[in-house]
Amino acid sequence: MSGHRPGSPLLLGIDAGTTVLKAVVFDRSGAEVARASARLRAETPAPRHVERDLTALRSAFDTVLGEIATRVPPEEIVAVGLTGHGDGLYLVDADGVPTRPGVLSLDSRAQPLLDRWERDGTAERAFAASGQRPWAPSPATVLAWLAEHEPDVVARTAAVVGCKDLLKAWLTGAVSTDPTEASQSFTDPHTQTWSDAVVDAYGLGRWRHLLPPIVNSHEVAGAVTTEAARRTGLRAGTPVVSGLHDVDACALATGVHRPGTLSVVAGSYSINQVVSDAPAPSRSWYCRSFVEPGRWLNMALSPASATNLEWFVQSLCGAELREAGQADEVFTRLSHEVDAVLDGPSEVTYLPFLYGSPEGAAASAGFVGLRGWHTRGHLVRALYEGVVHNHRWHADALRSHFTVDTARISGGATRSATWLQMFADGLGLPVTTTSAREVGALGAAMVAGVGAGVYADLPEAVAATVRDLSTYEPEEAGRRRMDDAYERFRLIVDGARTTWG
């Protein structure tokens, strides 16, 4: 935490992820002043359904902000910014009250509908109009599924929004979204505004009125209401900016806001993204609006990244986890075991597809090449490499069109220097980490700072807050090793397609 000077302006960034809600207060330099968080539960009422109890979310939201209000003077918070998980969908009525539980981005109930769209040409028409390939949890697919299966719910809904927009409405009493969130389904990629043609391509013209106003990410969308101030302890009248999608927040908070740099987020998802000055739709990535109007964020992603290590620890290291008391100690121990077996070629290959893959819904995870003399260190080394290989698959797709000469990384993989060196060797790029611990919340605070006039613009916000920590340069021996391992990885994936069906 920083040595905050009383009376200097503070910025509150709120990050609503799929598992944790965080509120972090920063000073103008991007240093943390206070933080509070709460775990969020996901409900699975039916196979493929992943939902959120919104009464519990609101309780957690009020509690977390209440903790913040006891740790810093609320009158010193000059603006609030929000970010949250993308995709999925939250439905509210005319009073801003949810009409059903929230649908998370891990939900895949709409996969059969998506398969139908692929067969009947809807997906192709939508891509032509929007530059976006629909996928199971995208807002368009979820809304179409709900309109088909829960028509009464949709009929009493007044607006469909993302997670951070629901929280914003709870603070301000007004419903809106921002360009980064809006571009997940229904916007024209050239105008970056809602498009009737796109809505009609999905066959959802009847529900066009559910799309809320779009307010630029750094612009003030409302203010904390008296009622919200009573619930949270924040100061009534505090400006709340429109906010941004969490992947945009992560890019911004790690210093990626111009073309030429690959932004890598190695967390629950393998997220790989490049900013561009013109839209570049492709079936290999999502072309979405960036924080600044007139810029786009081109992202190639799949749910196959550092979460694999968390699964490994929780499933296979239970005794050590109980002994250590916290996962970070086990992660450190495993990284040392990897260091001990780094000499020589990679012998074990890991497919990191526990929760999904770029190869389709049927792909699964697994170790290949395992022998009796291999140790746990060999398994974790293979897991590290497999995650890097999956990121490289996406990064190579982006590099087929965009020029990048460096990468900046955030997420769970940054806990291991060994893993970071593998990223540099596997991507063939210098990979830089930054000092920010909570990049999502910092990105939200940065746009809040622009909206409040703390920063003149986003470049000034980046210059003021982003601090480089370490840069990992590709090493020749490591590059050869990772190239050989990647070639074997791709051969195994190609062969596995026949067994995945």
Side-chain angles (χ1 to χ4, degrees):
M1 303 297 176
S2 76
H4 168 62
R5 294 196 320 275
S8 60
L10 298 176
L11 300 166
L12 173 57
I14 299 169
D15 182 2
T18 55
T19 58
V20 182
L21 173 67
K22 304 170 185 176
V24 187
V25 178
F26 301 90
D27 66 16
R28 189 187 184 282
S29 73
E32 290 187 22
V33 175
R35 71 163 73 191
S37 64
R39 299 289 298 182
L40 300 174
R41 287 186 57 193
E43 309 288 342
T44 53
R48 293 184 173 269
H49 292 223
V50 186
E51 298 186 342
R52 171 164 288 161
D53 179 337
L54 298 183
T55 300
L57 175 63
R58 183 153 186 166
S59 176
F61 185 56
D62 291 349
T63 298
V64 165
L65 293 184
E67 291 180 22
I68 288 294
T70 66
R71 295 172 186 173
V72 299
E75 64 274 12
E76 294 184 8
I77 298 174
V78 299
V80 180
L82 302 98
T83 189
H85 75 81
D87 294 293
L89 204 61
Y90 294 72
L91 288 70
V92 296
D93 65 16
D95 296 318
V97 177
T99 57
R100 72 172 322 281
V103 178
L104 296 180
S105 56
L106 300 173
D107 192 282
S108 61
R109 74 185 70 189
Q111 186 63 47
L113 171 63
L114 184 62
D115 293 340
R116 191 173 77 211
W117 280 357
E118 293 288 351
R119 293 191 302 269
D120 68 16
T122 298
E124 187 60 34
R125 289 191 296 274
F127 176 78
S130 70
Q132 298 287 323
R133 292 182 297 105
W135 65 315
S138 63
T141 320
V142 174
L143 178 57
W145 189 96
L146 292 172
E148 189 173 305
H149 295 271
E150 300 180 13
D152 292 344
V153 170
V154 179
R156 64 174 185 269
T157 294
V160 292
V161 295
C163 181
K164 67 101 170 58
D165 294 322
L166 176 63
L167 303 185
K168 182 172 57 179
W170 285 345
L171 283 179
T172 66
V175 177
S176 66
T177 191
D178 81 288
T180 67
E181 198 92 48
S183 66
Q184 293 175 113
S185 279
F186 297 118
T187 59
D188 182 301
H190 302 281
T191 66
Q192 299 181 313
T193 59
W194 296 130
S195 165
D196 290 345
V198 176
V199 177
D200 290 342
Y202 284 113
L204 293 170
R206 178 185 175 189
W207 306 111
R208 167 66 176 83
H209 66 283
L210 299 182
L211 303 180
I214 298 174
V215 179
N216 285 335
S217 298
H218 64 279
E219 293 180 357
V220 174
V224 175
T225 65
T226 301
E227 194 270 335
R230 180 189 60 78
R231 292 194 333 264
T232 65
L234 297 181
R235 179 179 60 85
T238 304
V240 180
V241 300
S242 191
L244 68 172
H245 186 305
D246 61 359
V247 297
D248 297 76
C250 290
L252 191 62
T254 53
V256 178
H257 64 110
R258 293 288 187 268
T261 301
L262 177 69
S263 167
V264 176
V265 184
S268 299
Y269 269 70
S270 166
I271 298 171
N272 312 272
Q273 46 196 17
V274 178
V275 175
S276 65
D277 288 327
S282 170
R283 290 170 179 79
S284 296
W285 58 80
Y286 296 94
C287 174
R288 294 178 174 175
S289 299
F290 189 48
V291 185
E292 296 175 291
R295 280 204 163 91
W296 288 260
L297 189 63
N298 306 275
M299 62 186 77
L301 53 86
S302 60
S305 191
T307 303
N308 281 269
L309 182 61
E310 295 186 20
W311 163 83
F312 189 95
V313 169
Q314 295 293 334
S315 301
L316 304 176
C317 305
E320 285 162 297
L321 188 59
R322 288 189 295 272
E323 176 188 337
Q326 55 183 349
D328 282 352
E329 290 186 27
V330 183
F331 293 147
T332 299
R333 188 178 307 175
L334 292 176
S335 194
H336 290 325
E337 292 180 17
V338 174
D339 292 340
V341 298
L342 273 180
D343 290 340
S346 175
E347 297 176 334
V348 184
T349 299
Y350 178 67
L351 307 184
F353 306 143
L354 287 172
Y355 305 105
S357 83
E359 303 295 330
S364 58
F367 290 95
V368 180
L370 192 60
R371 304 286 186 174
W373 56 84
H374 288 133
T375 65
R376 186 171 68 174
H378 290 97
L379 294 179
V380 180
R381 173 183 171 177
L383 188 152
Y384 280 10
E385 291 174 346
V387 168
V388 174
H389 297 332
N390 192 60
H391 277 272
R392 176 175 173 176
W393 174 249
H394 293 304
D396 284 352
L398 290 167
R399 288 190 285 191
S400 70
H401 183 84
F402 304 101
T403 299
V404 297
D405 53 20
T406 187
R408 302 178 76 85
I409 189 169
S410 61
T414 60
R415 290 177 292 204
S416 167
T418 300
W419 211 348
L420 289 167
Q421 186 61 53
M422 286 183 180
F423 269 94
D425 295 338
L427 296 174
L429 294 171
V431 172
T432 299
T433 63
T434 63
S435 60
R437 293 175 58 191
E438 302 294 350
V439 289
L442 178 58
M446 290 164 73
V447 295
V450 175
V454 174
Y455 314 113
D457 51 27
L458 287 175
E460 183 177 304
V462 170
T465 61
V466 178
R467 301 285 181 272
D468 290 356
L469 190 61
S470 301
T471 296
Y472 296 79
E473 297 285 346
E475 299 175 350
E476 185 176 350
R479 286 205 64 180
R480 288 197 303 268
R481 186 165 57 240
M482 290 298 289
D483 283 347
D484 290 343
Y486 181 69
E487 183 177 353
R488 185 168 64 255
F489 174 86
R490 291 307 313 167
L491 287 172
I492 292 169
V493 169
D494 290 343
R497 289 196 186 100
T498 58
T499 63
W500 290 333

